[in-house]
Amino acid sequence: MKISPTPHRTRAFSLIELIIVISVIVIIAAFTIPAMNTVLRGSQLSQGAGMVIGQLNIARQQALSRNRQVEVRFYRYADPEIPGEDVTAPATGKFRAMQLFQIMPSGAALPIDKVQTLPGGVMFAYSDSKGFSSLLDKGTAAAPKQPKSDPTAPRLPRGVDFNYEYVAFRFLQDGSTDRTPTAQWFLTLVGINEKIETATVPPPNFFTVQVDPVSGVTKTYRPNAG
């Protein structure tokens, strides 16, 4: 007599087991996602600072090699894709890009390169009097200029056009800058969601680039940078 083999039955998860597994996944995600966001923001700050340092070094080298002043412009404008920012009102935006210009003997400013934009999650810190970016802050930097008063001002992409303002400083032919030598000049990069305008101290994660007004050499500072 031939006996048929008993069919193999696959045991499924019970409802309680599924709930336990899902709960473990949720707990792990709750700890992992904030850590990943912190790593991402730190990476964006490093990338943005690298771009700024590179542009400042290029500006100084160009001033020396061309024997002409090179102007560094920092652009403030609104991003049409960010809620609360109005592309027609630059004051609602952030300082988030820069560009280099060589100053001709006639005084005309010619762009050396295209506009360099910071990573999407990063901006230049700017405030009325907190001193986070002395090259941009009110009270230490020149008042922002409007592109309509400058025939050499370029149009900015993404619908910004001439709806922006800029603050600038220059590298001179000997590699120094036109900033007062007795003051400290620097830029601070922070996350775009940081409430830097009302803060009394910098946020935990920031990147500062200092420019020596006499030599034009840059130095960097970042907390917990080892």
Side-chain angles (χ1 to χ4, degrees), residues 59 69-73 99-103 109 145 150 166 168-171:
Q69 295 184 16
V70 173
E71 186 169 274
V72 184
R73 296 183 182 180
Q99 190 174 18
L100 309 182
F101 292 79
Q102 63 169 316
I103 307 302
K145 296 181 180 179
D150 181 359
Y166 68 91
F169 79 99
R170 293 183 181 183
F171 283 92

Side-chain angles (χ1 to χ4, degrees), residues 22 27 65 73 103 111 125 132 143-144 150 160 166 173 187 210 222 224-225:
I22 293 173
I27 292 172
S65 61
R73 296 183 182 180
I103 307 302
F132 294 115
D150 181 359
V160 176
Y166 68 91
Q173 292 91 326
L187 299 159
Q210 183 176 359
R222 187 174 189 180
N224 303 322

Side-chain angles (χ1 to χ4, degrees), residues 7 29 50 52 62 94-95 134 144 155 199:
V52 173
Q62 291 292 314
K94 306 288 191 298
F95 278 98
S134 57
R155 295 176 182 269

Side-chain angles (χ1 to χ4, degrees), residues 36 79 121 146 174:
M36 291 300 296
D79 188 328
Q146 304 296 326
D174 61 356

Side-chain angles (χ1 to χ4, degrees), residues 32-55:
T32 303
I33 292 176
M36 291 300 296
N37 287 337
T38 300
V39 171
L40 178 60
R41 288 194 297 268
S43 175
Q44 289 178 328
L45 279 177
S46 297
Q47 181 183 350
M51 183 270 284
V52 173
I53 294 169
Q55 288 295 295

Side-chain angles (χ1 to χ4, degrees), residues 175-185 210-217:
S176 64
T177 74
D178 64 350
R179 302 292 88 181
T180 305
T182 55
Q184 292 186 338
W185 300 100
Q210 183 176 359
V211 182
D212 188 304
V214 177
S215 66
V217 174

Side-chain angles (χ1 to χ4, degrees), residues 157-170:
R158 300 185 61 196
V160 176
D161 202 26
F162 289 118
N163 294 310
Y164 66 90
E165 58 187 17
Y166 68 91
V167 173
F169 79 99
R170 293 183 181 183

Side-chain angles (χ1 to χ4, degrees), residues 24-152:
V24 170
I25 293 175
V26 170
I27 292 172
I28 293 174
F31 285 99
T32 303
I33 292 176
M36 291 300 296
N37 287 337
T38 300
V39 171
L40 178 60
R41 288 194 297 268
S43 175
Q44 289 178 328
L45 279 177
S46 297
Q47 181 183 350
M51 183 270 284
V52 173
I53 294 169
Q55 288 295 295
L56 293 176
N57 288 338
I58 290 174
R60 181 176 182 273
Q61 292 167 2
Q62 291 292 314
L64 289 167
S65 61
R66 300 189 184 199
N67 195 32
R68 287 177 182 164
Q69 295 184 16
V70 173
E71 186 169 274
V72 184
R73 296 183 182 180
F74 300 95
Y75 295 132
R76 182 184 191 182
Y77 59 89
D79 188 328
E81 297 181 2
I82 295 182
E85 296 192 15
D86 182 358
V87 73
T88 64
T92 65
K94 306 288 191 298
F95 278 98
R96 48 169 50 103
M98 62 189 297
Q99 190 174 18
L100 309 182
F101 292 79
Q102 63 169 316
I103 307 302
M104 306 301 291
S106 63
L110 298 181
I112 293 176
D113 200 354
K114 62 182 181 179
V115 177
Q116 303 294 322
T117 306
L118 293 173
V122 179
M123 68 176 182
F124 291 109
Y126 170 78
S127 65
D128 290 346
S129 60
K130 302 302 179 185
F132 294 115
S133 295
S134 57
L135 284 168
L136 303 178
D137 290 343
K138 290 181 180 179
T140 52
K145 296 181 180 179
Q146 304 296 326
K148 11 179 120 165
S149 63
D150 181 359
T152 66

